[in-house]
Amino acid sequence: DSGVTQTPKHLITATGQRVTLRCSPRSGDLSVYWYQQSLDQGLQFLIQYYNGEERAKGNILERFSAQQFPDLHSELNLSSLELGDSALYFCASSTLPNTGELFFGEGSRLTVL
Amino acid sequence: QKEVEQDPGPLSVPEGAIVSLNCTYSNSAFQYFMWYRQYSRKGPELLMYTYSSGNKEDGRFTAQVDKSSKYISLFIRDSQPSDSATYLCAMMVEGAQKLVFGQGTRLTINP
């Protein structure tokens, strides 16, 4: 158990809908990362927050947004969903803002029908 | 061309064999090199962490980094069925926030 909690574990929705994925980092970790994992693209970095502030942005679509709240939990919002958004979405946390030692949650599997 | 290339396999070997997993990369600024292991339906977990060049050993696992060739390797000795998983290499530029992952190699160790 990494200590990172993600909800929901599974989500099935329709095209055009909006969903919110939630992540609670390990106790004491200030940095939260979001990654998307698909069969053809592998693990792709989406966005990183450190202590409530956006630190880095990767290949995150404009239809996607994220935030980190004062209690350090984070949410990833996906809107106007398309079939191609079906993937595993992972949250990871770390103590420091720029370390390669990430602790991943078990992921949220999104299926868009 | 992807920044990090990794053969997705699958790779299947008998129990007790030595396994060699590899990644190549194009960004010479990478300084941190990691290997993550991902079991089915789980998140990746950090297995090995190396800064710059050289070797690092941890039990049955050895990580090697050759920056001159832009090539990293993970060796697993005396492989066990419990080592069956997907192994992902990951790299990062010093001071950056983003880990760049390889595609992952799916490994099966047969009893």
Side-chain angles (χ1 to χ4, degrees):
Chain A
D1 183 1
S2 67
V4 177
T5 304
Q6 287 188 251
T7 57
K9 290 194 186 310
H10 302 278
L11 195 54
I12 301 174
T13 189
T15 55
Q17 295 299 304
R18 172 191 169 95
V19 298
T20 297
L21 309 180
R22 182 188 169 103
C23 169
S24 294
R26 286 191 322 160
S27 177
D29 282 357
L30 300 179
S31 200
V32 169
Y33 304 75
W34 286 97
Y35 280 84
Q36 179 192 58
Q37 187 175 44
S38 58
L39 280 174
D40 56 342
Q41 293 292 321
L43 259 175
Q44 298 288 312
F45 171 71
L46 295 178
I47 198 164
Q48 182 216 355
Y49 280 83
Y50 179 74
N51 203 20
E53 293 188 4
E54 183 184 304
R55 267 297 180 107
K57 226 170 187 177
N59 301 323
I60 188 167
L61 299 171
E62 284 191 11
R63 301 183 285 109
F64 296 0
S65 64
Q67 54 185 329
Q68 186 179 28
F69 294 88
D71 68 352
L72 301 177
H73 92 271
S74 178
E75 292 181 356
L76 179 67
N77 300 295
L78 315 175
S79 61
S80 303
L81 285 167
E82 302 175 359
L83 295 177
D85 298 328
S86 296
L88 262 172
Y89 291 85
F90 284 104
C91 170
S93 73
S94 69
T95 305
L96 299 175
N98 54 349
T99 174
E101 299 185 71
L102 302 184
F103 296 86
F104 283 83
E106 296 201 348
S108 293
R109 182 175 293 278
L110 173 66
T111 302
V112 182
L113 300 176
Chain B
Q1 184 190 4
K2 291 183 178 179
E3 273 190 291
V4 179
E5 298 277 0
Q6 183 177 10
D7 186 341
L11 182 61
S12 182
V13 301
E15 182 176 355
I18 296 175
V19 177
S20 172
L21 303 168
N22 312 294
C23 288
T24 58
Y25 62 95
S26 57
N27 188 348
S28 58
F30 285 138
Q31 288 278 48
Y32 293 91
F33 303 91
M34 281 71 65
W35 285 95
Y36 280 80
R37 177 175 61 193
Q38 185 176 17
Y39 290 114
S40 181
R41 302 184 186 281
K42 297 287 186 183
E45 57 177 341
L46 183 64
L47 192 60
M48 299 286 282
Y49 183 101
T50 308
Y51 176 74
S52 194
S53 280
N55 295 355
K56 188 170 184 179
E57 191 172 317
D58 183 1
R60 298 184 294 110
F61 298 88
T62 300
Q64 287 185 352
V65 175
D66 181 349
K67 293 189 73 179
S68 62
S69 302
K70 296 192 181 72
Y71 187 88
I72 72 169
S73 302
L74 177 71
F75 297 95
I76 307 174
R77 291 182 299 281
D78 187 25
S79 56
Q80 304 294 311
S82 58
D83 295 328
S84 297
T86 297
Y87 289 80
L88 303 110
C89 62
M91 306 177 192
M92 191 175 75
V93 173
E94 185 155 17
Q97 314 301 326
K98 181 178 86 166
L99 242 63
V100 181
F101 283 86
Q103 186 81 0
T105 299
R106 188 170 177 181
L107 172 67
T108 301
I109 309 297
N110 302 302

